[in-house]
Every structure is written in structure tokens, then in C-alpha cells.
Amino acid sequence: MSNMRRPLIAGNWKMNGLADESLRQVQDLGARVGKFDDPACDILICPPATLLREMARVAVGSSVKMGGQNCHAEPSGAHTGDISAEMLKDSGARYCIVGHSERRADHGETNAIVRAKAAATLRAGLVAIICVGETLEEREADKTLDVITEQVKNSLPAGATATNVVVAYEPVWAIGTGKTPTTLDVKAVHRHIREELSRMINDADRVRLLYGGSVKGSNAAELMAVENVDGALVGGASLTAEDFWPIVKTCI
Ligand code: PEP
């Protein structure tokens, strides 16, 4: 972790959470964070859109921020079932994840679509968390860095800066599997992402790079200590304050 970049610990709740229990969890997390006057990191939960407004209301004053998990590229219109970045902002979001591998795989989101969604996120005044990562097949074929290059080059929107964009490296094979890359592998990919960014934007050295994929309390400190890792994107272990807190604590 670097002094130059404020760490971000982000929870991605995916399609999990009903109101009562979710509000309890965010209250619990807020109470734990609240004991730290001036947290040294940003703390984010990206709940399902149905919970955003109420969770944002409950989190007010606690340093826990809210984000969306996905958005449509357009601000409004005839797109049944979709949600725009402006709507997420209106519901209390400060960030939006785009290009998560589950969206890329389940909804056929290409780099061009991810870039359009990232642009929409910026247009709405939110920070875009742009996800990249190789599949197991790509890793085994020694294509990891090539895949990452393609994704970074083609998913970043025009106007991306260190204040409006975060890049999350999430190897697809590590998501929800309990498997993680070695710290040397994480270091190599994060360095590669930073190099790619430095060819694209002026303040690349200030862009926060998150690691995601089976982060939990027991491995967070080791992963957060890797050079160019500025925080984590956490799925399963972000669903309860009890599991998320030890990860947050590595940065707070
Ligand atoms: C994710 O889906 O972004 C993720 C990192 O999931 P998990 O932590 O459960 O592997």
C-alpha cells in the first residue's frame, strides 16, 4: 500500500440482501468504523439497487459509502429493467462497479460496453470501479498480461483520472473459489496495470488499484501489503460486518 493513494475497501454484495438484515449489517459496520475518528481508507458497500437508498440513509455520518454494481450507459429511456448511473447517484451511490466478470460472462459485456458504462458513471459524477481479470484458461495459456492490457486499454473511458476511476484486478478463477494468486502474481499484474495506465492518463501513479478474488480476514493483510495494491474488492466476505471488518481493519 502507498501513502500516495488512499486505500479503498469495497464490498460487492451481488444479488444478496433483504432489507432488515442488510440494514442491521450496515449499522453494525458503521458502528465499528465510527470508533475511528478519521479512517485512513475509504469504505464502500455496493448493495443491490433495491437497498441503496435506505442503506445510504442508515450509513449517513459513518464514513461508510454506497455504490452501485452496474449501470446502463444511457441516462434514461426505454430500457426496461435497467438502471442508469444518474439513478444510482440519486439513490445515494458515490461509486459504481462496471465490467465485473459476472456481467462480462453472464450478460455478454464487451470492453466497449464496459467503457460506455464507465463513461456513464463519470457523466453522473460517480467514481467508476472498472474490473479486469483473466479466466483460468487464459492464465494457463500464459495470456494473463495480454488480456489485462486489452481490458484496460479498451474499458477505460475518455476523461478518466485518478479521482474518477479505480481499477480492480479480479482473476475470474479466484472469484468465490477460495483460491488466490500468489502475492508475486498479484504484484506482477498490478505493476502491469499501472504501466498500461501510465500510457493512457497523466496521473496514473495516483489511480487506486484494487485486488479482488477470495479476499477474507485471514489473507487481507498479506494481499494489501503487495506493491501497487491500494485496497480490495470483496464479494462473499463483505456480506456481514463481522466478516468484512477484519478486512477493513487492515487499512483503517
Ligand atoms: C467479487 O465478486 O468481486 C469477488 C471478489 O468475490 P469473492 O470475494 O467472493 O471472491
Side-chain angles (χ1 to χ4, degrees):
M1 215 132 24
S2 147
N3 290 337
M4 197 164 76
R5 300 179 289 271
R6 184 173 165 86
L8 168 64
I9 305 293
N12 170 17
W13 279 18
K14 312 190 185 192
M15 196 172 72
N16 294 293
L18 300 178
D20 288 353
E21 182 54 25
S22 302
L23 294 176
R24 257 197 299 280
Q25 292 302 333
V26 78
Q27 242 158 4
D28 183 346
L29 181 65
R32 294 172 197 243
V33 173
K35 301 208 168 67
F36 293 76
D37 281 347
D38 187 15
C41 62
D42 291 333
I43 303 153
L44 178 72
I45 303 257
C46 300
T50 47
L51 295 176
L52 206 41
R53 183 178 295 277
E54 228 184 328
M55 283 188 50
R57 186 184 55 74
V58 168
V60 163
S62 77
S63 299
V64 179
K65 304 288 181 263
M66 293 298 140
Q69 299 176 8
N70 172 50
C71 66
H72 195 279
E74 298 297 326
S76 62
H79 303 288
T80 303
D82 278 315
I83 293 176
S84 70
E86 282 78 1
M87 291 168 171
L88 294 172
K89 175 134 196 249
D90 186 51
S91 302
R94 306 278 285 270
Y95 291 73
C96 183
I97 299 170
V98 294
H100 190 281
S101 60
E102 287 153 16
R103 300 285 322 172
R104 289 180 187 260
D106 300 352
H107 300 269
E109 291 190 5
T110 60
N111 289 326
I113 292 172
V114 174
R115 172 184 269 161
K117 292 184 174 203
T121 301
L122 271 45
R123 178 190 68 218
L126 302 174
V127 177
I129 301 178
I130 302 171
C131 300
V132 298
E134 81 286 2
T135 62
L136 185 58
E137 203 183 1
E138 289 161 344
R139 169 159 287 256
E140 284 173 347
D142 220 7
K143 289 187 182 150
T144 299
L145 297 185
D146 293 342
V147 169
I148 300 293
T149 299
E150 277 300 294
Q151 290 177 331
V152 170
K153 267 194 189 158
N154 298 313
S155 303
L156 247 77
T161 68
T163 33
N164 60 22
V165 152
V166 172
V167 176
Y169 169 53
E170 297 207 306
V172 178
W173 53 272
I175 294 178
T177 59
K179 294 183 189 146
T180 52
T182 65
T183 50
L184 278 180
D185 284 339
V186 174
K187 183 175 169 185
V189 175
H190 277 236
R191 184 197 296 127
H192 183 76
I193 294 173
R194 190 151 326 269
E195 282 168 6
E196 287 301 329
L197 289 174
S198 69
R199 285 189 258 281
M200 299 172 70
I201 58 181
N202 290 333
D203 56 355
D205 54 345
R206 305 193 75 88
V207 175
R208 292 179 291 180
L209 306 185
L210 311 185
Y211 168 76
S214 295
V215 177
K216 40 188 190 275
S218 55
N219 62 14
E222 191 187 14
L223 288 162
M224 295 307 105
V226 174
E227 196 181 342
N228 280 311
V229 172
D230 309 307
L233 181 54
V234 185
S238 70
L239 290 172
T240 65
E242 191 181 357
D243 287 342
F244 198 37
W245 179 240
I247 302 170
V248 173
K249 242 176 120 185
T250 61
C251 297
I252 206 166

